Coordinates of all heavy atoms in Angstrom, one line a residue:
A35 N -17.8 10.5 -24.4 CA -18.7 10.0 -25.4 C -19.2 8.6 -25.0 O -20.4 8.3 -25.2 CB -18.0 9.9 -26.8
N36 N -18.3 7.7 -24.5 CA -18.8 6.4 -24.1 C -19.7 6.5 -22.9 O -20.7 5.7 -22.9 CB -17.5 5.6 -23.7 CG -16.9 4.9 -24.9 OD1 -17.3 3.8 -25.3 ND2 -16.0 5.6 -25.6
S37 N -19.4 7.3 -22.0 CA -20.3 7.4 -20.8 C -21.7 7.9 -21.2 O -22.7 7.5 -20.7 CB -19.7 8.4 -19.7 OG -18.5 7.8 -19.3
A38 N -21.7 8.9 -22.1 CA -23.0 9.5 -22.5 C -23.9 8.4 -23.2 O -25.1 8.3 -22.9 CB -22.8 10.7 -23.4
I39 N -23.3 7.7 -24.2 CA -24.0 6.7 -24.9 C -24.4 5.6 -24.0 O -25.5 5.0 -24.1 CB -23.3 6.3 -26.2 CG1 -23.1 7.4 -27.1 CG2 -24.0 5.1 -26.9 CD1 -24.4 8.1 -27.6
F40 N -23.5 5.2 -23.2 CA -23.8 4.1 -22.3 C -24.9 4.4 -21.3 O -25.7 3.6 -20.9 CB -22.6 3.6 -21.4 CG -22.8 2.5 -20.5 CD1 -22.9 1.2 -21.0 CD2 -23.1 2.8 -19.1 CE1 -23.2 0.2 -20.1 CE2 -23.4 1.7 -18.3 CZ -23.4 0.4 -18.7
S41 N -25.0 5.7 -20.9 CA -26.1 6.1 -20.0 C -27.5 5.9 -20.8 O -28.5 5.5 -20.1 CB -26.0 7.5 -19.6 OG -26.1 8.4 -20.7
V42 N -27.5 6.1 -22.1 CA -28.7 5.9 -22.9 C -29.0 4.4 -22.9 O -30.1 3.9 -22.7 CB -28.6 6.5 -24.3 CG1 -29.8 6.2 -25.1 CG2 -28.3 8.0 -24.2
V43 N -27.9 3.6 -23.3 CA -28.1 2.1 -23.4 C -28.5 1.6 -22.0 O -29.4 0.7 -22.0 CB -26.7 1.5 -23.8 CG1 -26.8 0.0 -23.7 CG2 -26.4 1.9 -25.2
N44 N -27.9 2.1 -20.9 CA -28.3 1.6 -19.6 C -29.8 1.8 -19.3 O -30.5 0.9 -18.8 CB -27.4 2.3 -18.6 CG -27.8 1.9 -17.1 OD1 -27.8 0.7 -16.8 ND2 -28.0 2.9 -16.3
A45 N -30.2 3.1 -19.6 CA -31.6 3.4 -19.3 C -32.6 2.7 -20.2 O -33.7 2.2 -19.7 CB -31.8 4.9 -19.4
V46 N -32.3 2.5 -21.5 CA -33.2 2.0 -22.4 C -33.1 0.4 -22.5 O -34.2 -0.2 -22.5 CB -33.0 2.6 -23.8 CG1 -33.9 1.9 -24.9 CG2 -33.2 4.1 -23.8
L47 N -31.9 -0.1 -22.5 CA -31.8 -1.5 -22.7 C -31.5 -2.4 -21.5 O -31.9 -3.5 -21.4 CB -30.6 -1.8 -23.8 CG -30.8 -1.1 -25.1 CD1 -29.6 -1.5 -26.0 CD2 -32.1 -1.5 -25.8
L48 N -30.7 -1.8 -20.6 CA -30.2 -2.7 -19.5 C -31.0 -2.5 -18.2 O -31.2 -3.5 -17.5 CB -28.7 -2.3 -19.1 CG -27.7 -2.4 -20.3 CD1 -26.3 -2.0 -19.8 CD2 -27.8 -3.8 -20.9
R49 N -31.5 -1.4 -17.9 CA -32.3 -1.2 -16.6 C -33.6 -2.0 -16.7 O -34.3 -1.9 -17.7 CB -32.5 0.3 -16.4 CG -33.1 0.6 -15.0 CD -33.2 2.1 -14.9 NE -31.9 2.8 -15.0 CZ -31.8 4.1 -15.2 NH1 -32.8 4.8 -15.5 NH2 -30.6 4.6 -15.3
P50 N -33.9 -2.8 -15.7 CA -35.1 -3.6 -15.7 C -36.3 -2.7 -15.8 O -36.4 -1.6 -15.2 CB -35.0 -4.4 -14.4 CG -33.6 -4.3 -13.9 CD -33.1 -3.0 -14.5
L51 N -37.3 -3.2 -16.5 CA -38.6 -2.5 -16.5 C -39.2 -2.5 -15.1 O -39.0 -3.4 -14.3 CB -39.6 -3.2 -17.5 CG -39.2 -3.1 -19.0 CD1 -40.0 -4.0 -19.8 CD2 -39.3 -1.6 -19.5
P52 N -40.0 -1.4 -14.8 CA -40.6 -1.3 -13.4 C -41.7 -2.2 -13.1 O -42.8 -1.8 -12.7 CB -41.0 0.2 -13.4 CG -41.4 0.5 -14.8 CD -40.4 -0.3 -15.7
Y53 N -41.5 -3.5 -13.4 CA -42.5 -4.5 -13.1 C -42.0 -5.5 -12.1 O -40.7 -5.7 -12.0 CB -43.0 -5.2 -14.4 CG -43.4 -4.3 -15.5 CD1 -43.1 -4.6 -16.8 CD2 -44.2 -3.2 -15.2 CE1 -43.6 -3.8 -17.8 CE2 -44.6 -2.4 -16.3 CZ -44.3 -2.7 -17.6 OH -44.7 -1.9 -18.6
G54 N -42.8 -6.3 -11.5 CA -42.4 -7.4 -10.6 C -41.9 -8.5 -11.5 O -42.6 -9.0 -12.3
D55 N -40.6 -8.9 -11.3 CA -40.0 -10.0 -12.1 C -40.2 -9.8 -13.5 O -40.9 -10.6 -14.2 CB -40.6 -11.4 -11.6 CG -39.7 -12.5 -12.0 OD1 -38.6 -12.3 -12.6 OD2 -40.1 -13.7 -11.7
P56 N -39.7 -8.7 -14.1 CA -40.1 -8.3 -15.5 C -39.7 -9.3 -16.6 O -40.3 -9.2 -17.6 CB -39.3 -7.0 -15.6 CG -38.1 -7.0 -14.7 CD -38.7 -7.8 -13.5
D57 N -38.8 -10.2 -16.3 CA -38.4 -11.1 -17.4 C -39.5 -12.1 -17.7 O -39.5 -12.8 -18.7 CB -37.2 -11.9 -16.9 CG -35.9 -11.1 -16.9 OD1 -35.9 -10.0 -17.6 OD2 -35.0 -11.4 -16.2
R58 N -40.5 -12.2 -16.8 CA -41.6 -13.1 -17.0 C -42.9 -12.4 -17.6 O -43.9 -13.0 -17.9 CB -42.0 -13.7 -15.7 CG -41.0 -14.7 -15.1 CD -41.3 -15.1 -13.7 NE -42.7 -15.6 -13.6 CZ -43.3 -15.7 -12.4 NH1 -42.7 -15.3 -11.3 NH2 -44.5 -16.2 -12.4
V59 N -42.7 -11.1 -17.9 CA -43.9 -10.4 -18.5 C -43.7 -10.4 -20.0 O -42.7 -10.0 -20.5 CB -43.9 -8.9 -17.9 CG1 -45.1 -8.2 -18.5 CG2 -44.0 -8.9 -16.4
M60 N -44.8 -10.7 -20.7 CA -44.8 -10.9 -22.1 C -45.9 -10.0 -22.7 O -46.9 -9.7 -22.1 CB -45.1 -12.3 -22.5 CG -44.2 -13.4 -21.9 SD -42.5 -13.3 -22.5 CE -42.7 -13.8 -24.2
M61 N -45.7 -9.5 -23.9 CA -46.7 -8.8 -24.7 C -47.2 -9.9 -25.7 O -46.4 -10.6 -26.4 CB -46.1 -7.6 -25.4 CG -47.1 -6.7 -26.0 SD -47.8 -5.6 -24.7 CE -49.1 -4.7 -25.6
I62 N -48.5 -10.0 -25.9 CA -49.1 -11.0 -26.7 C -49.9 -10.3 -27.8 O -50.8 -9.5 -27.6 CB -50.0 -11.9 -25.9 CG1 -49.2 -12.6 -24.8 CG2 -50.7 -12.9 -26.8 CD1 -50.0 -13.3 -23.8
W63 N -49.6 -10.7 -29.0 CA -50.2 -10.1 -30.2 C -50.9 -11.2 -31.1 O -50.5 -12.3 -31.0 CB -49.2 -9.4 -31.1 CG -48.5 -8.2 -30.4 CD1 -47.3 -8.3 -29.8 CD2 -48.9 -6.9 -30.4 NE1 -46.9 -7.0 -29.3 CE2 -47.9 -6.1 -29.7 CE3 -50.0 -6.2 -30.8 CZ2 -48.0 -4.8 -29.4 CZ3 -50.2 -4.8 -30.6 CH2 -49.2 -4.1 -29.9
G64 N -51.7 -10.7 -32.0 CA -52.1 -11.6 -33.1 C -51.0 -11.5 -34.2 O -50.3 -10.5 -34.3
H65 N -50.9 -12.6 -34.9 CA -49.9 -12.7 -36.0 C -50.7 -13.0 -37.3 O -51.1 -14.1 -37.5 CB -48.9 -13.7 -35.7 CG -47.8 -13.8 -36.8 ND1 -46.8 -14.8 -36.8 CD2 -47.6 -13.1 -37.9 CE1 -46.1 -14.7 -37.8 NE2 -46.5 -13.6 -38.5
N66 N -50.8 -12.0 -38.2 CA -51.5 -12.2 -39.4 C -50.5 -12.8 -40.4 O -49.6 -12.1 -40.9 CB -52.0 -10.9 -39.9 CG -53.0 -11.0 -41.1 OD1 -52.7 -11.8 -42.0 ND2 -54.1 -10.3 -41.1
L67 N -50.6 -14.1 -40.6 CA -49.7 -14.8 -41.5 C -49.8 -14.4 -43.0 O -48.8 -14.5 -43.7 CB -49.9 -16.3 -41.4 CG -49.8 -16.9 -40.0 CD1 -50.2 -18.4 -40.1 CD2 -48.4 -16.8 -39.5
R68 N -51.0 -13.9 -43.3 CA -51.1 -13.4 -44.7 C -50.4 -12.1 -45.0 O -49.7 -12.0 -46.0 CB -52.6 -13.3 -45.0 CG -53.0 -12.9 -46.5 CD -54.5 -12.8 -46.7 NE -55.1 -11.8 -45.8 CZ -55.1 -10.5 -46.0 NH1 -54.5 -10.0 -47.1 NH2 -55.6 -9.7 -45.1
T69 N -50.5 -11.2 -44.1 CA -49.8 -9.9 -44.3 C -48.5 -9.8 -43.7 O -47.7 -8.9 -44.0 CB -50.7 -8.8 -43.7 OG1 -50.8 -8.9 -42.3 CG2 -52.1 -8.8 -44.3
G70 N -48.1 -10.8 -42.8 CA -46.9 -10.7 -42.1 C -46.8 -9.8 -40.9 O -45.8 -9.7 -40.3
N71 N -48.0 -9.2 -40.5 CA -48.0 -8.3 -39.4 C -48.0 -9.1 -38.1 O -49.0 -9.9 -37.8 CB -49.3 -7.5 -39.5 CG -49.4 -6.5 -38.3 OD1 -48.5 -6.3 -37.5 ND2 -50.5 -5.8 -38.2
K72 N -46.9 -9.0 -37.3 CA -46.8 -9.7 -36.1 C -47.3 -9.0 -34.9 O -47.2 -9.5 -33.8 CB -45.3 -10.1 -35.9 CG -44.7 -11.1 -36.9 CD -43.3 -11.4 -36.5 CE -42.8 -12.5 -37.4 NZ -41.4 -12.9 -37.1
E73 N -47.9 -7.8 -35.1 CA -48.4 -7.0 -33.9 C -49.8 -6.6 -34.3 O -50.1 -5.4 -34.2 CB -47.5 -5.8 -33.6 CG -46.1 -6.2 -33.1 CD -45.3 -5.1 -32.7 OE1 -45.7 -3.9 -32.8 OE2 -44.1 -5.3 -32.2
S74 N -50.7 -7.5 -34.6 CA -52.1 -7.2 -34.9 C -52.9 -7.4 -33.6 O -52.5 -8.1 -32.7 CB -52.6 -8.0 -36.0 OG -52.5 -9.4 -35.7
A75 N -54.0 -6.7 -33.5 CA -54.9 -6.7 -32.4 C -55.6 -8.1 -32.2 O -55.6 -8.9 -33.2 CB -55.9 -5.6 -32.4
I76 N -56.2 -8.3 -31.1 CA -56.9 -9.6 -30.8 C -58.3 -9.3 -30.4 O -58.7 -8.3 -29.8 CB -56.2 -10.2 -29.5 CG1 -54.7 -10.5 -29.8 CG2 -56.9 -11.6 -29.2 CD1 -53.9 -10.9 -28.6
S77 N -59.2 -10.2 -30.8 CA -60.6 -10.0 -30.5 C -60.9 -10.5 -29.1 O -60.1 -11.3 -28.5 CB -61.5 -10.8 -31.5 OG -61.3 -12.2 -31.3
V78 N -62.0 -10.1 -28.5 CA -62.4 -10.5 -27.2 C -62.6 -12.1 -27.1 O -62.0 -12.7 -26.2 CB -63.7 -9.8 -26.7 CG1 -64.2 -10.4 -25.4 CG2 -63.4 -8.3 -26.5
P79 N -63.3 -12.7 -28.1 CA -63.4 -14.2 -28.0 C -62.1 -14.9 -28.1 O -61.8 -15.9 -27.4 CB -64.3 -14.5 -29.2 CG -65.1 -13.3 -29.4 CD -64.2 -12.1 -29.1
D80 N -61.1 -14.4 -29.0 CA -59.8 -15.0 -29.1 C -59.1 -14.8 -27.8 O -58.4 -15.8 -27.3 CB -59.0 -14.4 -30.2 CG -59.5 -14.9 -31.6 OD1 -60.3 -15.8 -31.6 OD2 -59.0 -14.4 -32.6
F81 N -59.1 -13.6 -27.2 CA -58.4 -13.4 -25.9 C -58.9 -14.4 -24.8 O -58.2 -15.0 -24.1 CB -58.6 -12.0 -25.5 CG -58.1 -11.7 -24.1 CD1 -56.8 -11.6 -23.8 CD2 -59.1 -11.6 -23.0 CE1 -56.3 -11.3 -22.5 CE2 -58.6 -11.4 -21.7 CZ -57.3 -11.2 -21.5
N82 N -60.3 -14.5 -24.8 CA -60.8 -15.4 -23.7 C -60.3 -16.9 -24.0 O -60.1 -17.6 -23.0 CB -62.4 -15.4 -23.8 CG -62.9 -14.1 -23.2 OD1 -62.3 -13.5 -22.4 ND2 -64.1 -13.7 -23.7
D83 N -60.2 -17.3 -25.2 CA -59.7 -18.6 -25.5 C -58.3 -18.8 -25.1 O -57.9 -19.8 -24.6 CB -59.9 -19.0 -27.0 CG -61.4 -19.2 -27.4 OD1 -62.1 -19.7 -26.5 OD2 -61.8 -18.9 -28.5
Y84 N -57.5 -17.8 -25.4 CA -56.0 -17.8 -25.0 C -55.9 -17.9 -23.5 O -55.1 -18.7 -23.0 CB -55.3 -16.6 -25.5 CG -55.1 -16.5 -27.0 CD1 -55.1 -15.3 -27.7 CD2 -54.8 -17.7 -27.7 CE1 -54.9 -15.2 -29.1 CE2 -54.5 -17.6 -29.1 CZ -54.6 -16.4 -29.8 OH -54.4 -16.3 -31.1
R85 N -56.7 -17.1 -22.8 CA -56.7 -17.1 -21.3 C -57.1 -18.4 -20.7 O -56.5 -18.9 -19.8 CB -57.6 -16.0 -20.8 CG -57.5 -15.8 -19.3 CD -58.4 -14.6 -18.9 NE -59.7 -14.7 -19.4 CZ -60.7 -13.8 -19.2 NH1 -60.3 -12.6 -18.7 NH2 -61.9 -13.9 -19.7
E86 N -58.1 -19.0 -21.3 CA -58.7 -20.3 -20.7 C -57.9 -21.5 -21.1 O -57.9 -22.5 -20.3 CB -60.1 -20.4 -21.1 CG -61.0 -19.3 -20.5 CD -62.4 -19.2 -21.1 OE1 -62.7 -20.1 -22.0 OE2 -63.2 -18.3 -20.8
Q87 N -57.3 -21.5 -22.3 CA -56.7 -22.8 -22.8 C -55.2 -22.9 -22.6 O -54.7 -24.0 -22.8 CB -57.1 -22.9 -24.3 CG -58.6 -23.0 -24.5 CD -58.9 -23.1 -26.0 OE1 -58.1 -23.6 -26.8 NE2 -60.1 -22.6 -26.4
N88 N -54.5 -21.8 -22.3 CA -53.1 -21.8 -22.3 C -52.6 -22.6 -21.1 O -53.3 -22.6 -20.0 CB -52.5 -20.4 -22.4 CG -52.4 -19.8 -21.0 OD1 -51.4 -20.0 -20.3 ND2 -53.4 -19.0 -20.7
N89 N -51.4 -23.1 -21.1 CA -50.7 -23.8 -20.0 C -49.4 -23.1 -19.6 O -48.7 -23.7 -18.8 CB -50.4 -25.3 -20.4 CG -51.7 -26.0 -20.7 OD1 -52.6 -26.1 -19.9 ND2 -51.7 -26.7 -21.9
S90 N -49.2 -21.9 -20.1 CA -47.9 -21.2 -19.9 C -48.0 -20.0 -19.0 O -46.9 -19.6 -18.5 CB -47.3 -20.8 -21.3 OG -47.2 -22.0 -22.1
F91 N -49.1 -19.4 -18.9 CA -49.2 -18.1 -18.2 C -50.0 -18.2 -16.9 O -51.0 -18.9 -16.8 CB -49.9 -17.1 -19.1 CG -49.1 -16.7 -20.3 CD1 -49.3 -17.4 -21.5 CD2 -48.1 -15.7 -20.3 CE1 -48.6 -17.1 -22.7 CE2 -47.4 -15.4 -21.4 CZ -47.6 -16.1 -22.6
E92 N -49.5 -17.5 -15.9 CA -50.2 -17.4 -14.6 C -51.5 -16.6 -14.8 O -52.5 -16.9 -14.3 CB -49.3 -16.8 -13.5 CG -48.2 -17.7 -13.0 CD -47.4 -17.0 -11.9 OE1 -47.6 -15.8 -11.8 OE2 -46.7 -17.7 -11.2
Q93 N -51.3 -15.5 -15.6 CA -52.4 -14.5 -15.8 C -52.2 -13.9 -17.2 O -51.1 -13.8 -17.7 CB -52.3 -13.4 -14.8 CG -52.6 -13.8 -13.4 CD -52.9 -12.6 -12.5 OE1 -53.9 -11.9 -12.6 NE2 -51.9 -12.2 -11.7
L94 N -53.4 -13.6 -17.8 CA -53.4 -12.8 -19.0 C -54.3 -11.7 -18.8 O -55.4 -11.8 -18.2 CB -54.0 -13.7 -20.2 CG -53.1 -14.7 -20.9 CD1 -53.7 -15.3 -22.1 CD2 -51.7 -14.1 -21.3
A95 N -53.9 -10.5 -19.2 CA -54.7 -9.3 -19.0 C -54.8 -8.6 -20.4 O -53.9 -8.7 -21.2 CB -54.0 -8.3 -18.0

Side-chain angles (χ1 to χ4, degrees):
N36 274 269
S37 297
I39 296 301
F40 179 78
S41 67
V42 179
V43 171
N44 177 54
V46 177
L47 302 183
L48 302 181
R49 190 176 296 160
L51 292 170
Y53 307 142
D55 201 359
D57 291 339
R58 291 168 54 198
V59 180
M60 309 290 292
M61 195 80 186
I62 299 166
W63 299 94
H65 180 187
N66 191 318
L67 300 175
R68 183 178 57 83
T69 64
N71 182 9
K72 293 185 176 182
E73 294 187 356
S74 60
I76 302 171
S77 68
V78 172
D80 282 354
F81 171 76
N82 288 333
D83 287 330
Y84 289 143
R85 182 176 57 185
E86 294 165 4
Q87 298 178 28
N88 85 85
N89 297 309
S90 303
F91 294 92
E92 288 181 348
Q93 294 191 74
L94 284 185

